[in-house]
Amino acid sequence: FKALLFLGAGSVIHSTGTRNMHEMGGLKKTMKITHITMLIGTLALAGIVPFSGFWSKDLIFAGAWEAEMWLPLAIVVITAILTVAYSFRMYFLVFQGEPRNTAHTHESPAAMTIPLVLLAIGAIGSWAVIGIFSEAMHAPIYGFEGAHAYDIMAFLEHTFTSPAVLLSLLAMAVGLLIFLALKKDLMRKPGNFFTKCAAKGFYFDALYNGFISKLKLLSMGLRKSQTGDANMNAVGI
């Protein structure tokens, strides 16, 4: 589903000629294949059942829970909540509402849409062929009597009563509620303090560039100590 979203973004940029989501909107009308496949990718990224993202997130939650790594578990739960909020923000900005400066958009060529469809199919059902899940369904589907095989109902009960899945569903619900509660603010162009900071990448680039410029000055100063004479350098070391 990550590959699907990256390729879907490329399809949208190819059609609209912009990377600015605030200049998009309403693309579901003119880019139907891209819209449906991107919606599938968005649901998978947000961890909605039964898309692949839900199951991969569940494995991470389960690993942290079983290892009693509470701080990493808290971090991934918070990350999952934010992922749901920004995933739906992207979807509504790009595909819903009325077109904004993108009235002449068109569906991408087959070279893009065919891979999108194939990846969308994977985002829906690829989890079923992963060992930990496929083993659970060997008995009812293939007649295997493996030690870890469940029937379908036992598999679903085992899955959806685990603490990891309950955490995943809770994160999904909270993220969706945050998006719905802040939908108006999240959908508008940067205006308040938070959205201005977000538009500036929370100033990470400014901090990074400031650090690099100071490091460059320090390096230029140290460079003067390099005479090119191996003996002098050895003495200095």
Side-chain angles (χ1 to χ4, degrees):
F1 58 87
K2 289 290 185 74
L4 170 60
L5 289 167
F6 276 115
L7 189 58
S11 176
V12 170
I13 293 167
H14 168 79
S15 178
T16 62
T18 180
R19 288 177 169 80
N20 189 340
M21 290 190 292
H22 290 288
E23 295 179 3
M24 299 175 188
L27 293 183
K28 68 175 184 178
K29 300 173 184 177
T30 55
M31 303 186 70
K32 294 181 179 179
I33 297 176
T34 300
H35 164 241
I36 293 171
T37 54
M38 282 286 279
L39 176 58
I40 291 170
T42 300
L43 295 173
L45 182 66
I48 306 297
V49 183
F51 299 94
S52 294
F54 169 80
W55 302 96
S56 60
K57 190 178 297 181
D58 173 41
L59 293 178
I60 296 170
F61 284 10
W65 181 278
E66 291 169 5
E68 298 184 352
M69 300 172 67
W70 307 124
L71 179 59
L73 179 60
I75 292 172
V76 296
V77 169
I78 292 170
T79 303
I81 291 171
L82 295 175
T83 300
V84 174
Y86 80 68
S87 296
F88 283 103
R89 177 177 182 267
M90 178 278 295
Y91 171 74
F92 278 91
L93 274 174
V94 174
F95 294 102
Q96 297 294 330
E98 295 301 320
R100 300 180 293 273
N101 302 328
T102 54
H104 303 292
T105 55
H106 55 82
E107 185 57 273
S108 296
M112 289 185 176
T113 56
I114 291 174
L116 282 174
V117 171
L118 294 174
L119 290 168
I121 293 170
I124 294 170
S126 62
W127 61 270
V129 302
I130 304 300
I132 191 172
F133 300 120
S134 61
E135 287 174 8
M137 294 184 288
H138 278 166
I141 296 177
Y142 300 110
F144 296 157
E145 296 297 335
H148 302 290
Y150 304 99
D151 60 37
I152 290 293
M153 293 309 298
F155 169 67
L156 293 175
E157 181 182 357
H158 174 76
T159 299
F160 289 100
T161 57
S162 70
V165 168
L166 295 178
L167 274 176
S168 182
L169 294 174
L170 177 64
M172 179 183 69
V174 172
L176 187 57
L177 287 173
I178 289 174
F179 170 74
L180 293 174
L182 302 177
K183 185 177 178 182
K184 288 184 178 179
D185 287 332
L186 291 173
M187 299 296 284
R188 68 171 58 138
K189 288 189 176 182
N192 58 41
F193 174 76
F194 179 80
T195 52
K196 284 181 179 178
C197 288
K200 295 289 187 180
F202 296 100
Y203 297 96
F204 279 109
D205 284 347
L207 289 170
Y208 179 78
N209 290 333
F211 171 75
I212 291 297
S213 64
K214 298 297 185 294
L215 185 62
K216 185 177 178 181
L217 288 173
L218 176 62
S219 299
M220 290 175 68
L222 291 173
R223 184 180 180 184
K224 295 177 181 178
S225 68
Q226 298 302 306
T227 63
D229 186 319
N231 292 326
M232 290 293 293
N233 289 348
V235 170
I237 292 171

